[in-house]
Amino acid sequence: MLIDTYGRVATDLRVSLTDRCNLRCTYCMPEEGLQWLAKPDLLSDDEIVRLVRIAVTDLGIEEVRFTGGEPLLRPGLTGIVERVAALTPRPRLSLTTNGIGLARTADALRAAGLDRVNVSLDTLRPDVFQTLTRRKRHADVLRGLAAARAAGLTPVKVNTVLMPGLNDDEAPDLLAWAVENDYELRFIEQMPLDAQHGWQRDGMVTAGDILASLRTRFTLTPEDSAERGSAPAERWIVDGGPHRVGVIASVTRPFCRACDRTRLTADGQIRTCLFATEETDLRAALRSDAPDAEIARRWKLAMWGKKAGSGLDDPAFLQPERPMSAIGG
Ligand code: SAM
Ligand code: SF4
C-alpha cells in the first residue's frame, strides 16, 4: 500500500502523458507556451505501462487518470490505455482533456478500455473561449464532449475554472447547459499553479461566489457527505435531482485530509501533491534497471514523506516550480 504518516492511503494515480498543449489557458500557461520537455526525458510508453503495472499490482492503485498537458497529443495514448486496461486487477480508467480531437478518438479510446472522461470547458461563448484559451477551438470542444457521451465515456464530467471579469457571470448558464446535455459540471477554484505566477487570492472566484451565483437560478441541496468519500468535489443536488453539480474548492475549503492521490509526471517523477516542492525520480530507477521491488520501495518512501496539506494558507507558501501543465492536473 501507499500510505503516509497521517494514515492516508493513495489509491488514485494521476499520470501525465505530456507537458505540451494546443491551448494556452491564461490560468495555466503563458501565450508563448513553455519550454517543453525534451523527448528523451519523457517516459516511453513501455516505461509508463511498467510503472502503472507496479502501482496497480504491488501498491494498491485502483484508479488511473491520464492527464497532461493535453493527453490527446500523446501519439501512443490508445495503446497505453489498452495495456493498462488489461492489467489485473483492472483499474478504473479515466482521462482529463481539453476535448480537442476527442470527436475523432472517443470511440477508439472507449474500445481500448477507457471508462470516463473529464473535459475542460470554461465558457459557452466562443469569444470568451478565445480570450481564455488564446485559441479559436470552442466548437471542437463541444464536438468532443458530444462524441464522448455518444461513445459511452460516461458520466462525462466538465471541469470549469471561473476567472473574474471573463466568465464569472456564466455559472448558472453553464449549469443549465450541463443539465440539458447530461454532463456533470464541476467548478474548480483557480489555484496558484500558473506558469506566470499571476494568481492572487483576492482576485479569485471562490466556491462561495460560485454557489451564490448558482442559487440565483437553482435550488441546491448538499449531497450526503458519506457519498463524497475522498472525492475532491463537494456536490449539490440540482433542483431536486437527478443532476448534480460539484465544486472543487482547493483554496477555500481544502480537502487534504481525505486526499488519496499520487502523481507521476511525464518525465517520471513522483509527486505526492500538486503543491509538493519535492519529487522522487523513478525514471532514473527505471533506466538503471532497478527491479520492480526497488521501484515500489521508492514510491512508498515518497508517499511516506507526503505533507499534511498543500500549505496554501501558510504565509511561507511557495508556488511549486512546475506549473500545472507540467505536473499533470
Ligand atoms: N489539458 C487538459 C485539460 O485542460 O483538461 C488536462 C490538463 S489540465 C492542467 C487539467 C485541469 O486543470 C483542467 O481542468 C484545467 O482547467 C485545470 N487547471 C489548469 N490550471 C489551473 C489552475 N491554475 N487552477 C485550477 N485549475 C487549473
Ligand atoms: Fe492546456 Fe489544459 Fe493547461 Fe488549458 S488547462 S493550457 S488545456 S494543459
Side-chain angles (χ1 to χ4, degrees), residues 193-329:
L193 290 168
D194 56 317
Q196 314 87 293
H197 291 231
W199 179 87
Q200 284 181 325
R201 186 181 283 264
D202 299 346
M204 60 171 281
V205 181
T206 65
D209 300 333
I210 296 164
L211 290 168
S213 170
L214 291 175
R215 286 194 161 113
T216 60
R217 208 182 301 169
F218 300 93
T219 304
L220 301 182
T221 319
E223 199 178 57
D224 191 343
S225 60
E227 285 182 58
R228 182 178 183 191
S230 57
E234 277 182 87
R235 299 205 307 172
W236 284 262
I237 300 161
V238 181
D239 286 344
H243 287 96
R244 306 275 198 277
V245 62
V247 180
I248 302 180
S250 321
V251 179
T252 63
R253 304 184 197 180
F255 39 87
C256 305
R257 261 185 301 175
C259 179
D260 65 353
R261 307 259 166 98
T262 179
R263 294 171 184 276
L264 176 64
T265 65
D267 56 348
Q269 311 297 307
I270 292 297
R271 298 178 63 93
T272 53
C273 173
L274 275 175
F275 296 99
T277 46
E278 282 161 27
E279 301 183 338
T280 298
D281 185 3
L282 292 190
R283 186 186 62 196
L286 280 173
R287 294 186 182 173
S288 59
D289 294 328
D292 288 0
E294 171 59 14
I295 289 174
R297 190 189 69 79
R298 290 191 194 191
W299 207 326
K300 283 192 212 164
L301 203 62
M303 185 67 187
W304 195 245
K306 179 164 170 142
K307 302 232 165 70
S310 63
L312 269 173
D313 282 327
D314 186 335
F317 172 76
L318 276 184
Q319 186 168 335
E321 262 173 51
R322 281 190 201 249
M324 184 73 133
S325 57
I327 296 171

Side-chain angles (χ1 to χ4, degrees), residues 33-48:
L34 293 164
Q35 177 79 46
W36 312 125
L37 290 165
K39 183 107 197 289
D41 292 339
L42 290 175
L43 294 184
S44 67
D45 294 2
D46 286 347
E47 287 173 329
I48 289 171

